[in-house]
């Protein structure tokens, strides 16, 4: 039987850094969020890629925190954990939706460097991952070029038939047509997203998009495609299992259907961990442990997404 | 004959101040938007209230600009124009929608002071006005208290029957249920907004809401109410007359129906003035001149929102 692999990533990470900086625990892993990830690693070998925001969002109030505020007091602890805990580029902040869809080369290059420089400062170069799951996914051609020029190896891509935007904003969720139009690039179009969150089924796609539905089959293997123009590898990173969309019982069932796959991608979002978040998920921690245990028991090896690149 | 008044405001203003700061013209009126407003003032007497963002939004890219960067070199020119051009509080930035709906006292007070302090610094004390048109309108009770404690005299309010949120996010435009739920306050509920922008007819209301549809009849009068709990005065402003929702011809027809009104309120948004905005409106300046000309010819006197509380006492106390 061939080897089986899985990877696990958490999007939208910034609040754990804020807590560490403000609370200054003895150990990084005294922080509940990092402590949870360490426990899942120690017990089941889980490796986590945390896709970070550069700053918290005004959505939650005036109390701003950015990666530039993050203390470097835990750098040695981060470096020692870099075999199983890495950080990667995601977005400047949580809002607006689709931050990269029409982004310029210059903005993406600047933001990537801002994020990378801070990660290297507070955690060390070895903690930087060069696979990218962009916030909301679509990235303009110029943004993809900027990522490639900064050393990114592989990026998640959306899949489905591209359709034209005909000027009617009501075909998209409220506010998203404005994102499509702002600095619109020729590659920015529509597609139908396969997601449990049906409110965003009608979605925007950009350059990191593949029309051939066979692309989805690659998600269950170690294979990917190479974009010749940018040199980036494209691969579906998650294929439907975003664990904040599942109850613990549903997750158990969904995972049990993937245990024969060569490759499984599992996603999450940071916010649901916190009790003061309006959509707090009390099962958050249990779900992380569950996936790690089930994948461990099924003989999967945990890798980082960038490790699939041959 | 009874005196008639109108007031005109532009929401979401920040880009004109960025242009002023970066281009350093000889006069503030070399900046195209300020020039349009001066032309409207010189020809028709238009007074303009500019409701400010504290900073530009990441929505448009990484090039951030805040009010703290506006130079004070034009202070004398702004001060000299302050009888017809004033600035006011609006929001920190353009997004998220409904920034004040569940805002804390502390955040609102801090942001108000950040805004007023910068305006005083670069434009002088007389250039700030205390009639408030909050971004998206709803403000929490704590937010209303904070604005009152910062000197706010009167605030725009929503009107209509309050409806509880059912828990189904699909009853609101995408993303707005999150705004309702984040730090949710007891006064945060739903109502149906009377607007030409049907995409946001299903709306959120906060504390500055009048649950009395009969008061809607007073929108075209000088009448307003005072809330004894916060000390803030509330008035429904605008009544659907937002310039960016009308063509110039539609605007003329709409204004023609209001020429006998005791009060006409006219709103606008800054963004549509700029050719690189995705909803740029080439008629932007013309529509402002239309307002100025028609209101001038019909005998309406331009005022600022805050002057309402000087013109007469509240219609009633209590929401």
């Amino acid at each position: 039987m061939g080897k089986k692999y899985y990877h696990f990533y958490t999007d939208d990470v910034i609040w754990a850094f804020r807590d560490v900086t403000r609370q200054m625990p003895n150990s990084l892993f005294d922080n509940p969020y990092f402590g949870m990830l360490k426990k899942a690693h120690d017990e089941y070998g889980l490796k986590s890629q945390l896709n970070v925001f550069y700053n918290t969002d005004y959505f939650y109030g005036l109390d701003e925190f950015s990666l530039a505020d993050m203390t470097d007091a835990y750098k040695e602890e981060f470096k020692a954990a870099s075999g199983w805990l890495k950080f990667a580029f995601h977005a400047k902040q949580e809002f607006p939706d689709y931050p990269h869809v029409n982004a310029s080369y210059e903005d993406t290059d600047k933001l990537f460097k801002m994020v990378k420089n801070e990660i290297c400062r507070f955690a060390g170069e070895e903690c930087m991952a060069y696979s990218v799951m962009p916030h909301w996914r679509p990235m303009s051609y110029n943004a993809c070029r900027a990522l490639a020029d900064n050393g990114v190896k592989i990026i998640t891509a959306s899949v489905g038939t591209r359709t034209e935007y005909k000027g009617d904003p009501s075909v998209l969720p409220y506010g998203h047509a404005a994102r499509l139009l702002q600095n619109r690039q020729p590659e920015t179009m529509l597609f139908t997203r396969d997601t449990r969150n049906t409110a965003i089924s009608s979605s925007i796609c950009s350059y990191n998009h593949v029309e051939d539905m066979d692309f989805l089959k690659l998600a269950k293997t170690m294979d990917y495609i190479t974009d010749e123009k940018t040199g980036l590898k494209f691969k579906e990173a998650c294929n439907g299992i975003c664990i904040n969309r599942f109850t613990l019982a549903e997750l158990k069932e969904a995972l049990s259907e993937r245990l024969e796959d060569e490759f499984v991608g599992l996603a999450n979002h940071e916010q649901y961990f916190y009790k003061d978040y309006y959509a707090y998920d009390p099962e958050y921690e249990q779900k992380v442990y569950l996936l790690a245990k089930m994948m461990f028991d099924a003989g999967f090896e945990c890798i980082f997404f960038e490790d699939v690149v041959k | 004959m009874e005196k008639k008044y109108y007031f005109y405001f532009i929401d979401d203003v920040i880009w004109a101040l960025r242009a002023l700061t970066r281009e350093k013209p000889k006069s503030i009126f070399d900046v195209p938007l300020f020039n349009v407003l001066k032309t409207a003032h010189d020809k028709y007497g238009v007074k303009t209230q500019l409701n400010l963002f504290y900073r530009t939004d990441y929505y448009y890219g990484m090039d951030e600009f805040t009010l703290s960067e506006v130079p004070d070199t034009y202070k004398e020119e702004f001060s000299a124009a302050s009888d017809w051009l004033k600035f006011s509080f609006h929001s920190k930035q353009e997004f998220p929608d409904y920034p004040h709906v569940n805002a804390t006292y502390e955040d609102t007070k801090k942001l108000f002071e950040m805004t007023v302090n910068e305006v005083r610094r670069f434009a002088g004390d007389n250039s700030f006005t205390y009639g408030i048109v909050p971004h998206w309108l709803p403000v929490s009770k704590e937010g209303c208290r904070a604005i009152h404690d910062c000197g706010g005299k009167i605030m725009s309010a929503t009107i209509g029957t309050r409806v509880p949120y059912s828990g189904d996010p699909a009853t609101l435009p995408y993303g707005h249920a999150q705004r309702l739920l984040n730090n949710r306050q007891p006064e945060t509920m739903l109502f149906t907004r009377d607007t030409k922008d049907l995409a946001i007819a299903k709306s959120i209301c906060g504390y500055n809401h009048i649950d009395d549809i009969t008061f809607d009849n007073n929108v075209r009068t000088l009448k307003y109410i005072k809330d004894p709990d916060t000390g803030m005065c509330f008035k429904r402003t605008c009544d659907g007359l937002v310039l960016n929702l009308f063509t110039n011809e539609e605007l003329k027809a709409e204004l023609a129906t209001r020429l006998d009104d005791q009060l006409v309120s006219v709103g606008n948004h800054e963004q549509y003035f700029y050719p690189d905005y995705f909803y740029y409106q080439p008629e932007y300046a013309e529509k402002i001149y239309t307002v100025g000309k028609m209101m001038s010819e019909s005998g309406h006197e331009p005022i600022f929102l805050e002057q309402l509380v000087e013109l007469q006492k509240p219609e009633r106390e209590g929401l």
Side-chain angles (χ1 to χ4, degrees), chain A residues 264-293:
Chain A
V264 177
L266 301 170
N268 202 2
H269 290 85
E270 184 194 44
Q271 297 91 328
Y272 301 84
F273 180 75
Y274 296 90
K275 287 181 180 167
D276 58 355
Y277 183 57
Y278 56 84
Y280 165 64
D281 179 1
E283 294 183 326
Y284 191 103
E285 197 167 349
Q286 291 308 313
K287 286 193 278 187
V288 173
Y289 299 146
L290 175 73
L291 74 87
K293 182 175 190 307

Side-chain angles (χ1 to χ4, degrees), chain B residues 294-314:
Chain B
M294 288 184 71
M295 290 289 97
S296 167
E297 289 174 354
S298 64
H300 283 78
E301 179 184 328
I303 57 172
F304 291 106
L305 177 59
E306 67 178 358
Q307 290 178 265
L308 277 185
V309 297
E310 297 156 9
L311 288 170
Q312 67 176 50
K313 290 183 176 176

Side-chain angles (χ1 to χ4, degrees), chain A residues 154 222-224 235 263 303-310:
Chain A
I154 186 167
M222 291 288 278
D223 294 332
Y224 49 82
K235 182 174 176 62
F263 184 77
I303 60 173
F304 290 108
F305 195 50
E306 64 185 351
D307 294 337
V308 303
V309 180
K310 300 176 179 79

Side-chain angles (χ1 to χ4, degrees), chain A residues 57-62 64 91-93 95-97 99-100 107 110-111 114 136 173-179 181-182 197 199-200 278, chain B residues 55 57-64 91-93 95-97 99-100 107 110-111 136 173-174 176 178-179 181-182 197 199-200 278-279:
Chain A
D57 201 291
Y58 172 50
F59 187 101
Y60 302 101
L62 277 176
E64 288 188 3
K92 182 167 186 279
Q93 58 197 43
F95 298 95
D97 300 343
H100 309 295
D107 274 5
K110 178 180 177 182
L111 182 58
M114 285 164 61
W136 282 81
Y174 177 74
H176 286 183
R179 294 302 302 152
L181 294 171
Q182 162 64 22
N197 183 4
I200 57 166
Y278 56 84
Chain B
R55 71 176 183 196
D57 202 291
Y58 170 54
Y59 188 100
Y60 301 100
M62 294 284 286
D63 181 20
E64 286 188 5
S91 179
K92 186 175 184 208
Q93 57 195 46
F95 298 95
D97 301 342
H100 310 295
D107 272 7
K110 180 178 176 182
L111 181 60
W136 282 81
Y174 178 74
H176 287 182
Q178 296 168 293
R179 296 302 303 152
L181 293 171
N182 183 58
D197 185 357
I200 57 166
F278 49 83
Y279 289 138

Side-chain angles (χ1 to χ4, degrees), chain A residues 103-120:
Chain A
S104 68
Y105 182 97
E106 293 72 20
D107 274 5
T108 309
D109 180 65
K110 178 180 177 182
L111 182 58
F112 190 95
K113 287 180 165 66
M114 285 164 61
V115 171
K116 180 181 173 180
N117 289 343
E118 295 303 337
I119 291 170
C120 291

Side-chain angles (χ1 to χ4, degrees), chain B residues 45-59:
Chain B
V46 172
K47 295 183 177 181
T48 301
Q49 172 171 330
L50 301 177
N51 298 319
L52 294 170
F53 289 140
Y54 184 80
R55 71 176 183 196
T56 55
D57 202 291
Y58 170 54
Y59 188 100

Side-chain angles (χ1 to χ4, degrees), chain A residues 221-275:
Chain A
T221 74
M222 291 288 278
D223 294 332
Y224 49 82
I225 65 173
T226 300
D227 174 56
E228 299 298 338
K229 284 177 74 176
T230 61
L232 284 177
K233 316 299 183 191
F234 288 168
K235 182 174 176 62
E236 165 63 63
C238 168
N239 199 14
I241 303 191
C242 182
I243 71 173
N244 54 268
R245 288 269 151 208
F246 293 76
T247 65
L248 191 65
E250 288 169 344
L251 178 63
K252 195 170 187 179
E253 188 178 338
L255 287 172
S256 67
E257 293 170 4
R258 307 277 177 107
L259 298 181
E260 300 305 320
D261 292 350
E262 182 189 24
F263 184 77
V264 177
L266 301 170
N268 202 2
H269 290 85
E270 184 194 44
Q271 297 91 328
Y272 301 84
F273 180 75
Y274 296 90
K275 287 181 180 167

